[in-house]
Amino acid sequence: MASGESRQPEWPQTEELRSRVGAVRLLAWIAALVAAVPLFGLVDLATTLGLSDPRYAWAMSLAASWGSLLTFVVAAGFGWVGAVPRRPAPGLGLLGLATLGLLVGSALLLDARPLGLAVPLGAVTALLAVLLRPYVRPSVPAWRWRPSPPAIVAALGVPLWAGYVVNTEIAALIAPPGSGDDTVGIDHWPVQLALGVVLAVGSALLTGAVRQLVLWRWSFGLTAVAVAWATLAYPDRAGAMPHPVWGVLFVVWGALLALPSGRRVEMRRSVSG
């Protein structure tokens, strides 16, 4: 067992720090709710399942990417921090990846609108990290590459999602204006690109901590299934990958990634936190 997993730190028993934990829980849960509902995370996922006005040809893959980023990454990250504030690193890591992805998507497509998500997301993430400073470093799993099947599956996600990023950028650059839909005034194309960055970078990081970062595995696995469904079910809509093979690869990768990896170190310890 890695040193980072061997011991659980404990909060000093003071009223100030107990109040801090309570404030963190409240802030994190509110932020998770905002990402999932007012920012349309769940709504856009529901759209891909046909729970929307059928008279409009929704850009299903773009809706899936927006919904996945806001629900399976952002809301899940905040939800983790709210549920397990004494082991915040996995949740904060997801939020950091989402912030990075939005910044990259904004830069690559020369679109400043995603900064309206990236800046407040990064600010709230930083605030939570400061409030939980005594617990951040101890809850970071030790990174060590070991040639195991789960680590290999995670590694395969790097080229898979890098391809998603490249295809999204090309499609966005040649797409006619207005083809990408928008939510709260933000175009979906750079957000879809951001999702690819999150999973490509996240897969690379996951290769050395795949047994500990159960939250990441489920986040990425559910995202892969949602993206695969949108591509396979609606191949002619904006944002879909250029060939159905991509959808098959996504769903197989996501299912394999979410499989139990033998040890459930993080989840078991998190319940006690």
Side-chain angles (χ1 to χ4, degrees), residues 118-143:
V119 172
L121 175 59
V124 175
T125 302
L127 175 61
L128 292 175
V130 169
L131 292 174
L132 296 174
R133 186 173 60 254
Y135 284 93
V136 174
R137 180 172 291 182
S139 62
V140 175
W143 197 95

Side-chain angles (χ1 to χ4, degrees), residues 14-242:
T14 67
E15 286 299 324
E16 178 186 353
L17 291 177
R18 278 195 289 266
S19 298
R20 188 188 301 180
V21 174
V24 165
R25 287 184 186 273
L26 179 61
L27 177 59
W29 283 117
I30 290 174
L33 181 64
V34 169
V37 183
L39 290 180
F40 295 90
L42 291 175
V43 171
D44 274 29
L45 285 176
T47 295
T48 67
L49 299 176
L51 303 178
S52 57
D53 189 344
R55 294 173 298 177
Y56 184 75
W58 301 92
M60 294 299 191
S61 289
L62 291 170
S65 60
W66 179 286
S68 295
L69 183 69
L70 270 296
T71 303
F72 299 139
V73 179
V74 176
F78 281 124
W80 178 276
V81 175
V84 197
R86 294 175 177 83
R87 288 186 57 79
L92 293 174
L94 275 186
L95 298 172
L97 283 174
T99 303
L100 172 66
L102 289 166
L103 292 173
V104 173
S106 177
L108 289 180
L109 294 183
L110 301 178
D111 187 340
R113 288 173 291 179
L115 297 178
L117 277 178
V119 172
L121 175 59
V124 175
T125 302
L127 175 61
L128 292 175
V130 169
L131 292 174
L132 296 174
R133 186 173 60 254
Y135 284 93
V136 174
R137 180 172 291 182
S139 62
V140 175
W143 197 95
R144 181 179 179 184
W145 161 256
R146 294 175 179 173
S148 65
I152 292 171
V153 171
L156 291 175
V158 177
L160 183 65
W161 293 101
Y164 183 77
V165 169
V166 172
N167 274 283
T168 297
E169 183 174 13
I170 293 172
L173 291 175
I174 65 176
S179 64
D181 291 341
D182 67 77
T183 298
V184 294
I186 299 172
D187 189 81
H188 281 205
W189 282 113
V191 174
Q192 176 159 309
L193 196 154
L195 182 68
V197 172
V198 168
L199 269 74
V201 176
S203 294
L205 296 174
L206 194 56
T207 57
V210 71
R211 296 187 187 277
Q212 291 76 43
L213 292 175
V214 180
L215 172 67
W216 288 29
R217 295 203 337 259
W218 276 96
S219 170
F220 297 169
L222 290 170
T223 294
V225 171
V227 170
W229 161 253
T231 286
L232 293 172
Y234 304 96
D236 59 333
R237 305 289 176 88
M241 296 298 282

